[in-house]
Amino acid sequence: MYRFLMSRQWVILALITLLLIPTMIRLGIWQMHRYEMRSARNQLVADALHAKPVPVETISTPGHAVTRTEKYRTVTATGTFETSKEVVVRRRTNDDDEVGFHVLTPFVLTDGKVVLINRGWIPATGVQTAFPKIPAPPAGRTTITGRLMADETTAASGIKDIKGLPDRQIMLINSEEQAKRLNAQVLGGYVEQTAPEPKGDTPEQISDPGKEDAPLNYAYMIQWWLFAAAVPVGYVVLARREARDRREAAAKEAETAEAEPAPV
């Protein structure tokens, strides 16, 4: 009754079934790794954001590459904003996906070193080749608080570092490039300012990094493994149904043959 399984159609179906099972298992494992990576990232961010603020100089130095465990760490810095050498970062969006600029202002520390401060987002008004009007930061010596961030690169961000931009406009925030421009010792990475809040809420400060949806990957993992388990079950169900249909067809043929009159 199951000889039909050796037919060309059923052999192809069996091969497809055998290929689908390990493929779906591997997809489930991939989603599991994504879940673990996202969960670890969320934990790192939460730990960094809730850690006790420390002076930025205790973590970063000129040429330092900010690590995964240092990223988003709350830091403080005491010094003076140098607005004459301020630049804007092009094609940045706010929480409402409006396109504008990030304001990057050098902050001269008490020891003379410089840390780059991303003061926040401003809208792009008028001609984007012109340097926008930016509200001034606090004058004189001040203490700011923010999140330590790693230098931006094209490889990590996907943002192309376009050359020949208008004066005082950049595409990527990179401490090494800014150190050359400023001719100063610039701490590695940069700081997203969170305090004090600007007057008039502009520049618009950058929101805390949100949590990645790790539970979604967990659900996908379970889904792929359920699919992997369902494939052989489905094959067996189809095979049994085909055998039943063939058995019923054979029985009907036998009944028809018995009902026909014998030849004279």
Side-chain angles (χ1 to χ4, degrees):
M1 188 58 65
Y2 286 92
R3 290 178 181 175
F4 66 87
L5 294 176
M6 300 305 297
S7 66
R8 183 172 181 271
Q9 176 184 354
W10 279 89
V11 168
I12 292 174
L13 184 59
L15 291 175
I16 292 174
T17 299
L18 292 174
L19 287 173
L20 283 175
I21 294 172
T23 299
M24 291 178 176
I25 291 174
R26 288 295 302 167
L27 286 170
I29 293 173
W30 177 68
Q31 290 292 349
M32 179 181 68
H33 290 159
R34 289 283 295 166
Y35 166 74
E36 292 173 345
M37 288 174 59
R38 285 186 161 187
S39 296
R41 181 264 181 190
N42 289 342
Q43 189 61 52
L44 278 174
V45 172
D47 291 344
L49 291 177
H50 292 95
K52 183 179 179 180
V54 296
V56 65
E57 305 96 309
T58 63
I59 298 179
S60 185
T61 56
H64 176 73
V66 176
T67 65
R68 289 179 67 248
T69 56
E70 294 168 345
K71 189 177 179 181
Y72 300 116
R73 181 68 188 272
T74 302
V75 295
T76 61
T78 299
T80 307
F81 284 106
E82 191 170 0
T83 55
S84 63
K85 297 183 179 179
E86 195 168 58
V87 295
V88 292
V89 191
R90 292 170 59 93
R91 300 179 186 175
R92 299 302 168 107
T93 58
N94 64 358
D95 292 340
D96 296 323
D97 289 330
E98 297 173 312
V99 179
F101 301 98
H102 278 178
V103 179
L104 189 69
T105 310
F107 191 74
V108 183
L109 302 172
T110 53
D111 64 359
K113 295 185 178 67
V114 174
V115 60
L116 303 173
I117 307 297
N118 185 342
R119 293 171 51 208
W121 180 89
I122 59 172
T125 57
V127 182
Q128 292 195 21
T129 55
F131 191 76
K133 185 177 180 180
I134 303 171
R141 185 174 178 180
T142 185
T143 297
I144 65 103
T145 302
R147 296 180 292 267
L148 182 62
M149 303 295 292
D151 284 328
E152 295 179 343
T153 63
T154 298
S157 66
I159 300 172
K160 187 177 180 180
D161 192 10
I162 301 173
K163 304 299 181 182
L165 293 175
D167 187 37
R168 299 176 69 184
Q169 294 190 18
I170 61 174
M171 295 298 299
L172 296 167
I173 305 176
N174 187 283
S175 61
E176 291 186 2
E177 293 298 321
Q178 292 303 305
K180 296 175 185 177
R181 181 181 70 87
L182 298 169
N183 191 27
Q185 288 186 302
V186 179
L187 304 189
Y190 65 98
V191 174
E192 288 180 349
Q193 183 177 344
T194 57
E197 295 183 0
K199 294 181 180 179
D201 296 327
T202 183
E204 181 181 318
Q205 291 187 339
I206 301 169
S207 302
D208 287 346
K211 289 185 177 181
E212 293 189 3
D213 196 357
L216 183 62
N217 294 103
Y218 189 86
Y220 286 153
M221 174 190 71
I222 298 298
Q223 185 181 64
W224 280 119
W225 287 346
L226 287 175
F227 286 162
V231 166
V233 173
Y235 178 83
V236 172
V237 170
L238 289 175
R240 290 173 65 87
R241 183 179 298 174
E242 179 71 14
R244 183 193 64 195
D245 293 344
R246 288 172 178 264
R247 186 166 54 248
E248 291 176 354
K252 288 181 180 179
E253 288 179 4
E255 290 176 2
T256 302
E258 291 177 1
E260 291 180 355
V264 178

